[in-house]
Amino acid sequence: MAPWMLPLFYALIFVHSSHLSFAKFPPRYFPSSLIRPETTSSPSNNEFYKTKYFTQNLDHFNYNPQSYQTFQQRYLINDTFWGGNKINAPIFVYTGNEGNIEWFAQNTGFMYDIAPEFKALLVFIEHRFYGKSIPYGGDKKKAYKTSKTLGYLSSTQALADYATLIIDLKKNLTAMDSPVIVFGGSYGGMLAAWFRLKYPHVAIGALSSSSPILQFENITSQYSFNNIITQDFRSESENCYKVIKGSWKQIEDTAAKHGGLELLRKSFRICKNYISGDYLEGWLSTAFVYTAMTDYPTPSNFLSPMPAYPIKEHES
């Protein structure tokens, strides 16, 4: 095992219950402190895409004075493979997630893989309130300040953003007859599926990957996500699963003993600041979840540098 993998390996040997319940420690998906855009081996960074901005309405559904405010929405475009409007070549659009659009553009290789075959134009649209698509003049503090300003951060408004931008882009390209397929993963996958349902006149299809479309209260079990994480590790090693499961209690018992927290601090090489059993479990749980979330068949640098099939790598 490579030395850099050891800290994460220790994080991966802990599971909180038979269902890996992380309800107390919800992971922060796509944390800015962890994610860095990955430079792929395909085109160079300059050739990967062109960055453009679209003047977007703040509010698509109301007619109050503030509704007519606008902001600059970023989108990335790659026309390397596009067959053009004369043959009505398709347009593949990625419906951006809750993060910097570059992260997704540089880690969505599937779209680049199939674009040459379909002679498709590639477009990645950034979600409002993320990356550089910040309303209120790009002032994050103002945009995130109150529920009044954050009220414009919604999936409904985001879908309307995408529809407006796509229609305008097709018009500018004189490509009104070019079919649009939307793509997305995780929350972006939810947006892609919802986009096809809500705007069928804009997109003829959607590819929605790993998207918890029904993950809402009273519809899907609150443990379904954790169950999938459990199965990811259990499918590789039943023994490792049992070790992981039992280790949570060991942390809790150790933390409750005199001097136990100091022992845990030294064992996990934690800096001398606040520590508790719950804090440590939350930290480990996050590492565990992120590894399962990025259990890709190829090496990636999405959340952290990972080998192909990182769970299998750790098990071996």
Side-chain angles (χ1 to χ4, degrees):
M1 182 182 298
W4 67 266
M5 295 175 65
L6 287 174
L8 191 53
F9 172 76
Y10 290 123
L12 298 178
I13 62 172
F14 294 91
V15 179
H16 191 56
S17 72
S18 60
H19 295 294
L20 303 191
S21 175
F22 296 108
K24 293 190 295 182
F25 320 109
R28 283 191 308 126
Y29 299 127
F30 313 127
S32 58
S33 61
L34 292 181
I35 304 181
R36 294 293 180 271
E38 177 181 13
T39 302
T40 66
S41 58
S42 306
S44 70
N45 248 1
N46 293 331
E47 299 172 339
F48 203 87
Y49 46 69
K50 297 175 183 176
T51 301
K52 295 181 177 292
Y53 288 87
F54 177 74
T55 301
Q56 190 64 263
N57 291 326
L58 178 64
D59 188 349
H60 295 280
F61 306 106
N62 296 293
Y63 301 94
N64 300 317
Q66 61 267 29
S67 300
Y68 295 97
Q69 296 182 50
T70 61
F71 68 96
Q72 295 302 300
Q73 183 169 30
R74 182 169 58 157
Y75 66 100
L76 313 176
I77 188 167
N78 183 307
D79 59 2
T80 304
F81 316 106
W82 195 39
N85 54 17
K86 292 183 179 180
I87 65 170
N88 296 330
I91 300 173
F92 292 169
V93 177
Y94 188 91
T95 50
N97 298 43
E98 66 282 32
N100 187 320
I101 192 59
E102 291 180 339
W103 305 337
F104 305 105
Q106 297 182 15
N107 287 277
T108 309
F110 176 70
M111 291 174 65
Y112 280 90
D113 290 342
I114 64 175
E117 180 178 352
F118 292 94
K119 298 182 179 179
L121 176 70
L122 299 180
V123 182
F124 298 82
I125 308 177
E126 190 162 67
H127 197 296
R128 56 168 53 204
F129 283 80
Y130 291 98
K132 294 185 178 180
S133 301
I134 310 295
Y136 302 101
D139 187 340
K140 285 188 177 182
K141 288 185 177 180
K142 185 175 181 180
Y144 299 161
K145 187 175 182 180
T146 67
S147 59
K148 185 176 181 180
T149 55
L150 275 175
Y152 295 107
L153 172 57
S154 71
S155 58
T156 306
Q157 295 282 4
L159 292 175
D161 287 343
Y162 300 154
T164 304
L165 194 157
I166 291 170
I167 292 172
D168 186 83
L169 178 63
K170 291 180 69 176
K171 190 180 299 182
N172 290 336
L173 295 173
T174 319
M176 294 306 295
D177 293 326
S178 290
V180 173
I181 306 292
V182 289
F183 294 74
S186 191
Y187 169 53
M190 298 169 76
L191 292 172
W194 292 337
F195 189 88
R196 168 59 182 155
L197 291 170
K198 190 171 180 63
Y199 298 97
H201 61 293
V202 179
I204 67 168
L207 194 155
S208 177
S209 176
S210 300
S211 52
I213 295 175
L214 299 179
Q215 189 67 48
F216 292 96
E217 191 174 359
N218 299 324
I219 296 180
T220 303
S221 168
Q222 61 177 316
Y223 300 110
S224 60
F225 177 81
N226 295 333
N227 289 341
I228 294 171
I229 300 297
T230 301
Q231 187 56 37
D232 282 348
F233 283 86
R234 196 170 192 176
S235 63
E236 292 295 340
S237 170
E238 180 69 20
N239 180 64
C240 184
Y241 156 75
K242 291 179 179 179
V243 171
I244 291 171
K245 176 184 174 182
S247 296
W248 289 106
K249 188 176 187 304
Q250 187 174 355
I251 288 180
E252 293 167 359
D253 290 345
T254 302
K257 294 178 180 178
H258 179 70
L261 289 177
E262 185 60 27
L263 176 60
L264 290 173
R265 187 200 308 277
K266 291 181 179 179
S267 298
F268 289 93
R269 299 181 181 179
I270 297 174
C271 297
K272 290 189 175 182
N273 51 20
Y274 175 77
I275 181 177
S276 70
D278 283 350
Y279 180 90
L280 178 58
E281 288 179 351
W283 179 65
L284 296 173
S285 300
T286 299
F288 181 89
V289 170
Y290 285 161
T291 301
M293 286 172 59
T294 55
D295 194 29
Y296 302 144
T298 56
S300 71
N301 190 35
F302 190 47
L303 297 181
S304 184
M306 288 285 188
Y309 296 110
I311 290 179
K312 185 176 183 179
E313 183 80 11
H314 287 299
E315 299 295 346
S316 61

